[in-house]
């Protein structure tokens, strides 16, 4: 018998299909009972998701939810290994079993629907596919009826959806049954003996999925458009994949690659993309030294840019972000987003002089487009703006979508709505056309699209260090690896050394700022503080200069959601190893077995750690740097202070 089995089929409207993972341990079962669709998920004999409803409600037609019959089903096994251009893992295996069930309504209008299921060893996924058909050319989806019937008592970690600061909230621990208001995905849960995370993959041309309790089950709540509908589409159409990542331990989720695997390989050659580290005319604005808007303390002047370029060259950092270079920041920039001109500089910023100077010094400028969510204004200039940058040799853009909603076609829409999703995708594709790599702030969530579009280098999409100065607790960076980071890399803007600045105090020790380069993945990693601060600490800065921005392999070592996270990563193409660790408000000792090192070889371990008396509240600058020789089989004992962390570079001797 093959891996899949159709257990029984009593006529067209009653059928059960079991789709098993390659190792046989995970099963997603599709049930058609008197024409109604449900599914459930098991690991071994344990039910992870009880029987959960499937279906789509439409504006202009009856819902596609019952009266269905099976026409045929088709199963296949798939196993490939692919190479990423960058990321947390260079070589990725994509191995699953798939069953597509072709359904048709048994009575008129006999509409067609395909349900496609995939089972991986580390999770299951499904999507709705609506083929082209005589009775329907277009479809307006009023509601997606998908349910995820998780145990209501399971603990979960979530951020609220539909809020003014989009994805930028602190994680809250609640039971699943307390999730009565919509929350974003990835939604990670401890279901007793297993961790699961509900998310989606390949989000194109559809509203993003949020989740909320509806009776006894979590239900998909697709971000609506301003007309209340979830999506207007032409057929054929497929929804994004609904995904259920599964791990025995919360650390297992960290290396789950299902989201990427559910996206297609790129259609073009993207070997031109290049991960990078970059400093910025940036934190100086946050500590109040400079301003985005022109004036006496304007940050983005030709002179400042040249000074920072010199510093990048001295410090060995390849990129320099310049914010506030363009016309439109005067007054309340959050209100005046339509005034932004993306091809016009302020009078004190000479784009040609700056980019020529950068080129001569081996530094690349990272451009900046703050749209403030005024999409109509931005899209009318987008192609010219990309050309303008390309003509000046700029290959990186950090974009921004500040504001609680977006203005699209003259209406206010959620970032995560279908129209928002379509805009972000147009930006990625146009950027690819002009050879531009993107770091998107206030983005939509990651759904693995960077596998198909590797120029989508990174995104913000969570509270980052810009919230320091009061709104970030040490536990935040211990939540991210198990929640937000399951959806892809994040520009957390690490590397603040001026942690005690009274204008923007950072609630971490200084050693922990190095840890972030290992614990929080980003293929464009910011070196967020000002150069004069780094030049005062060459001993610590050495780590930032050396740390890679893409990894061959990632091995999570230790940690619990909200408490701590310790991870080892090997440099791209199998080089040196790096280890990073962070803890919440509680100080912790960790013991690291370096059994991932190549056996029989000496490595020089350079350890950057908190001093024994360091503390994120009153002794942030206490650190120690220690060097020792280690070999496979050795152990390292490291202390992380409250709100602290550590970073280690392990270099072959
Ligand atoms: C919010 C972004 O996250 C931040 O990095 C940027 O500096 C401001 N918007 C201004 O664009
Ligand atoms: Ca932001």
């Amino acid at each position: 018998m093959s891996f899949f089995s159709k257990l029984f089929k009593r006529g067209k409207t009653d059928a059960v299909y079991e789709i098993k993972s390659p190792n046989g341990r995970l099963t997603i079962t599709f049930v058609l009972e008197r024409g109604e669709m449900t599914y459930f998920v098991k690991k071994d004999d344990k039910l992870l998701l009880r029987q959960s409803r499937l279906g789509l409600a439409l504006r202009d037609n009856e819902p596609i939810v019952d009266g269905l019959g099976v026409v045929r089903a088709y199963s296949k096994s798939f196993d490939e290994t692919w190479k990423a251009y960058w990321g947390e893992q260079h070589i990725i295996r994509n191995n699953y079993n798939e069953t597509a069930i072709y359904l048709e309504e048994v009575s008129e209008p006999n509409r067609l629907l395909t349900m496609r299921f995939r089972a991986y060893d580390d999770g299951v996924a499904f999507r709705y596919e609506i083929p082209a058909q005589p009775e329907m050319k277009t479809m307006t989806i009023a509601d997606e009826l998908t349910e995820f019937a998780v145990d209501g008592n399971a603990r979960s970690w979530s951020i609220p959806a539909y809020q003014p600061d989009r994805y930028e909230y602190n994680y809250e621990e609640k039971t699943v049954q307390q999730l009565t208001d919509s929350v974003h995905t990835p939604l990670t849960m401890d279901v007793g003996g297993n961790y699961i995370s509900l998310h989606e993959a390949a989000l194109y041309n559809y509203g993003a999925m949020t989740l909320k309790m509806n009776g006894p089950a979590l239900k998909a709540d697709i971000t609506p458009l301003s007309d209340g509908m979830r999506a207007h589409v032409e057929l054929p159409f497929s929804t994004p994949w609904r995904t259920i990542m599964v791990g025995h331990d919360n650390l297992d989720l960290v290396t789950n690659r299902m989201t990427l695997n559910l996206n297609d390989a790129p259609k073009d050659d993207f070997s031109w993309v290049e991960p990078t580290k970059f400093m910025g005319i940036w934190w100086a604005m946050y500590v109040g030294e400079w301003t985005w808007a022109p004036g006496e303390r304007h940050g983005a002047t030709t002179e400042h840019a040249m000074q920072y370029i010199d510093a990048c060259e001295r410090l060995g950092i390849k990129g320099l972000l310049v914010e506030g270079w363009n016309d439109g920041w005067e007054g309340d920039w959050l209100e005046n987003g339509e005034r932004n001109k993306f091809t016009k500089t302020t009078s004190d910023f000479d784009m040609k002089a700056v980019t020529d100077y950068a080129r001569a010094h081996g530094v690349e400028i990272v451009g900046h487009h703050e749209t403030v969510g005024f999409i109509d204004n931005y899209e009318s200039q987008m192609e010219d703006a990309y050309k303008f940058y390309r003509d000046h040799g700029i290959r990186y853009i950090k974009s921004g979508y500040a504001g609680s909603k977006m203005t699209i076609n003259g209406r206010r829409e959620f970032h995560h709505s279908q129209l928002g999703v379509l805009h972000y995708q147009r930006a990625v594709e146009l950027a690819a056309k002009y050879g531009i790599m993107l770091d998107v702030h206030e983005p939509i969530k990651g759904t693995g699209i960077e596998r198909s579009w590797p120029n989508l280098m990174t995104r913000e999409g969570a509270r980052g260090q810009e919230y320091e100065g009061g709104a970030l607790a040490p536990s935040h960076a211990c939540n991210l690896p198990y929640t937000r980071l399951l959806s892809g890399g994040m520009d957390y803007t690490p590397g603040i050394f001026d942690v005690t600045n009274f204008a923007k105090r950072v609630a971490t020790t200084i050693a922990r700022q190095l840890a972030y380069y290992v614990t929080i993945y980003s293929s464009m990693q910011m070196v967020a503080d000002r150069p004069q601060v780094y030049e005062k600490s060459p001993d610590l800065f050495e780590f930032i200069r050396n740390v890679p921005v893409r990894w061959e392999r990632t091995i999570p070592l230790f940690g619990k959601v909200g408490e701590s996270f310790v991870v080892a990563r090997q440099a791209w193409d199998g080089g040196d190893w790096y280890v990073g660790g962070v803890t919440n408000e509680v100080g912790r000792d960790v013991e690291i077995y370096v059994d991932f090192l190549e056996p029989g070889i000496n490595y020089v371990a350079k350890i950057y750690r908190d001093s024994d008396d360091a503390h994120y509240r009153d002794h942030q600058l206490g650190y120690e740097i220690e060097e020792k020789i280690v070999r496979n089989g050795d152990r390292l004992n490291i202390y992380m202070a409250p709100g602290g962390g550590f970073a280690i570079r392990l270099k072959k001797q």
Side-chain angles (χ1 to χ4, degrees):
M1 206 173 88
S2 61
F3 66 84
F4 60 93
S5 53
K6 195 165 84 174
L7 296 185
F8 64 90
K9 187 174 174 204
R10 296 195 310 263
K12 281 178 100 174
T13 56
D14 289 271
V16 175
Y17 292 88
E18 244 187 16
I19 302 94
K20 273 193 184 299
S21 61
N23 68 5
R25 296 192 63 186
L26 277 181
T27 316
I28 181 162
T29 306
F30 173 76
V31 181
L32 193 67
E33 231 169 344
R34 271 172 249 108
E36 279 185 43
M37 303 183 287
T38 55
Y39 75 99
F40 60 89
V41 179
K42 274 175 141 183
K43 181 171 175 192
D44 301 324
D45 289 331
K46 201 179 150 122
L47 205 53
L48 297 180
L49 260 69
R50 303 184 310 274
Q51 211 163 341
S52 309
R53 195 154 84 121
L54 294 166
L56 296 171
L58 308 180
R59 185 186 61 186
D60 308 314
N61 308 80
E62 292 297 306
I64 308 184
V65 71
D66 54 15
L68 291 159
V70 175
V71 180
R72 67 192 166 90
Y74 173 75
S75 298
K76 69 169 188 185
S77 293
F78 187 82
D79 192 2
E80 78 169 359
T81 298
W82 57 279
K83 276 193 172 178
Y85 284 102
W86 47 260
E88 297 177 84
Q89 187 178 332
H90 194 167
I91 297 163
I92 297 176
R93 184 167 178 201
N94 184 12
N95 182 203
Y96 61 81
N97 291 326
E98 174 182 296
T99 296
I101 301 142
Y102 298 84
L103 301 146
E104 183 185 24
E105 285 174 319
V106 289
S107 52
E108 288 203 343
N110 304 107
R111 290 170 304 176
L112 306 172
L113 167 72
T114 305
M115 292 302 307
R116 192 176 299 274
F117 292 87
R118 281 187 190 171
Y120 294 79
D121 286 344
D122 57 2
V124 293
F126 60 87
R127 72 176 183 196
Y128 302 84
E129 299 176 0
I130 303 97
Q133 46 196 296
E135 292 304 319
M136 264 193 315
K137 300 281 170 244
T138 61
M139 226 169 81
T140 292
I141 295 155
D143 198 10
E144 185 179 312
L145 306 173
T146 311
E147 283 180 352
F148 303 88
V150 183
D151 175 9
N153 296 317
R155 291 191 304 154
S156 71
W157 293 268
S158 66
I159 51 170
Y162 307 123
Q163 299 301 309
D165 286 326
R166 308 151 307 268
Y167 233 79
E168 297 173 358
Y169 287 88
N170 287 323
Y171 282 83
E172 291 175 288
E173 186 183 327
K174 291 180 176 172
T175 63
V176 167
Q177 67 205 2
Q178 288 174 317
L179 302 178
T180 46
D181 293 317
S182 294
V183 296
H184 281 296
T185 74
L187 174 62
T188 299
M189 291 164 274
D190 175 357
V191 294
N194 286 291
Y195 280 80
I196 67 173
S197 193
L198 302 179
H199 190 46
E200 62 184 311
L203 169 62
Y204 289 100
N205 194 21
Y206 200 75
M209 181 174 75
T210 71
L211 295 166
K212 82 173 186 197
M213 280 308 275
N214 179 40
L218 283 168
K219 180 186 163 298
D221 173 17
I222 306 303
T223 307
L225 291 158
S226 54
D227 65 4
M229 295 297 110
R230 316 297 173 133
H232 302 276
V233 300
E234 285 176 12
L235 305 189
F237 174 75
S238 301
T239 66
W241 291 96
R242 307 290 165 229
T243 62
I244 301 140
M245 298 179 246
V246 182
H248 170 60
D249 183 76
N250 58 184
L251 291 176
D252 296 336
L253 295 176
V254 171
T255 47
N256 191 302
R257 305 284 170 237
M258 209 170 71
T259 312
L260 287 172
N261 277 330
L262 286 161
N263 280 272
D264 295 334
K267 291 194 178 64
D268 294 317
D269 173 36
F270 279 87
S271 51
W272 53 271
V273 302
E274 215 178 313
T276 195
K277 279 175 270 185
F278 61 104
M279 265 198 289
I281 293 191
W282 188 71
W283 194 247
M285 274 85 100
Y286 281 87
V287 293
E289 279 171 16
W290 290 347
T291 58
W292 278 273
E296 264 176 31
R297 287 185 296 119
H298 186 208
T301 65
T302 305
E303 194 192 339
H304 290 158
M306 288 180 175
Q307 284 165 5
Y308 269 44
I309 289 166
D310 290 342
C312 283
E313 194 182 16
R314 284 195 302 273
L315 291 163
I317 297 300
K318 283 234 181 98
L320 177 67
L321 165 72
V322 182
E323 291 200 7
W325 64 277
N326 65 309
D327 198 28
W329 288 87
E330 298 85 352
D332 185 349
W333 63 270
L334 278 167
E335 292 298 319
N336 301 333
E338 296 123 307
R339 292 203 204 143
N340 274 317
K341 300 269 181 301
F342 298 100
T343 50
K344 192 164 172 241
T345 66
T346 56
S347 58
D348 52 358
F349 186 78
D350 183 336
M351 182 63 88
K352 183 165 176 346
V354 169
T355 47
D356 284 351
Y357 191 79
R359 202 169 308 111
H361 290 262
V363 174
E364 286 204 47
I365 297 295
V366 177
H368 185 233
H369 286 168
E370 176 51 73
T371 70
V372 203
F374 286 86
I375 302 307
D376 293 338
N377 176 54
Y378 185 46
E379 288 210 357
S380 70
Q381 304 177 50
M382 201 157 72
E383 186 140 16
D384 290 340
Y386 287 177
K387 271 190 207 153
F388 178 72
Y389 271 155
R390 189 205 50 190
D391 293 347
H392 285 92
I394 293 179
R395 301 192 301 148
Y396 297 96
I397 299 179
K398 170 180 168 182
S399 55
Y401 295 87
S404 59
K405 284 196 176 176
M406 301 182 137
T407 306
I408 309 179
N409 304 333
R411 302 178 70 153
R412 300 293 285 161
E413 305 285 358
F414 285 114
H415 290 58
H416 279 91
S417 67
Q418 181 191 18
L419 286 172
V421 169
L422 283 167
H423 164 71
Y424 286 99
Q425 188 56 27
R426 273 196 294 275
V428 171
E429 295 184 18
L430 195 66
K433 180 173 158 196
Y434 286 98
I436 286 171
M437 293 162 267
L438 293 180
D439 167 4
V440 185
H441 277 233
E442 296 80 38
I444 46 168
K445 64 180 163 188
T447 60
I449 277 165
E450 61 272 26
R451 180 178 177 201
S452 313
W453 300 93
N455 64 313
L456 176 50
M457 304 298 281
T458 190
R459 42 160 67 83
E460 186 192 37
R463 245 175 215 210
Q465 292 217 100
E466 64 181 350
Y467 279 84
E468 287 287 8
L472 279 186
S475 57
H476 184 60
C478 303
N479 278 316
L480 292 173
Y482 311 96
T483 54
R484 157 67 182 81
L485 299 180
L486 304 183
S487 70
M490 175 182 178
D491 182 6
Y492 191 67
T493 66
I496 302 299
F497 280 11
D498 186 12
V499 283
T500 57
N501 192 310
F502 67 93
K504 192 86 174 159
R505 211 184 139 269
V506 175
T508 78
T509 62
I510 195 164
R512 178 197 179 98
Q513 290 291 323
L514 304 183
Y516 288 154
Y517 289 89
V518 189
T519 62
I520 300 177
Y521 182 67
S522 185
S523 78
M524 282 176 68
Q525 197 67 280
M526 198 169 185
V527 179
D529 214 329
R530 295 143 296 157
Q532 66 271 25
V533 176
Y534 292 132
E535 285 182 315
K536 277 190 238 143
S537 294
D539 53 344
L540 290 169
F541 192 77
E542 190 193 22
F543 181 83
I544 297 184
R545 183 171 43 247
N546 288 324
V547 70
V549 275
R550 54 182 177 173
W551 304 104
E552 188 67 22
R553 275 199 289 161
T554 290
I555 307 177
L557 299 176
F558 174 88
K560 270 263 161 306
V561 195
E563 293 180 3
S564 64
F565 180 58
V566 179
V567 64
R569 308 205 202 237
Q570 186 181 31
W572 194 254
D573 282 334
D576 301 339
W577 282 87
Y578 289 75
V579 185
V582 289
T583 179
N584 61 3
E585 293 76 358
V586 180
R588 266 170 238 278
D589 286 301
V590 289
E591 185 164 64
I592 298 164
Y593 293 76
V594 290
D595 53 1
F596 42 82
L597 298 178
E598 206 177 302
I601 290 187
N602 284 348
Y603 285 78
V604 182
K606 194 149 189 188
I607 303 165
Y608 306 77
R609 64 170 182 88
D610 297 324
S611 59
D612 292 347
D613 56 354
H615 197 293
Y616 76 98
R617 269 204 218 102
D618 50 23
H619 190 30
Q620 295 163 269
L621 298 174
Y623 71 90
E624 270 164 33
I625 301 177
E626 191 187 336
E627 214 172 76
K628 55 164 98 161
I629 302 294
V630 295
R631 294 163 75 88
N632 184 317
D634 289 348
R635 292 166 199 199
L636 290 169
N637 290 299
I638 304 210
Y639 171 67
M640 298 193 275
F646 68 91
I648 310 176
R649 181 182 187 205
L650 291 143
K651 198 174 155 39
K652 275 188 196 169
Q653 202 181 23

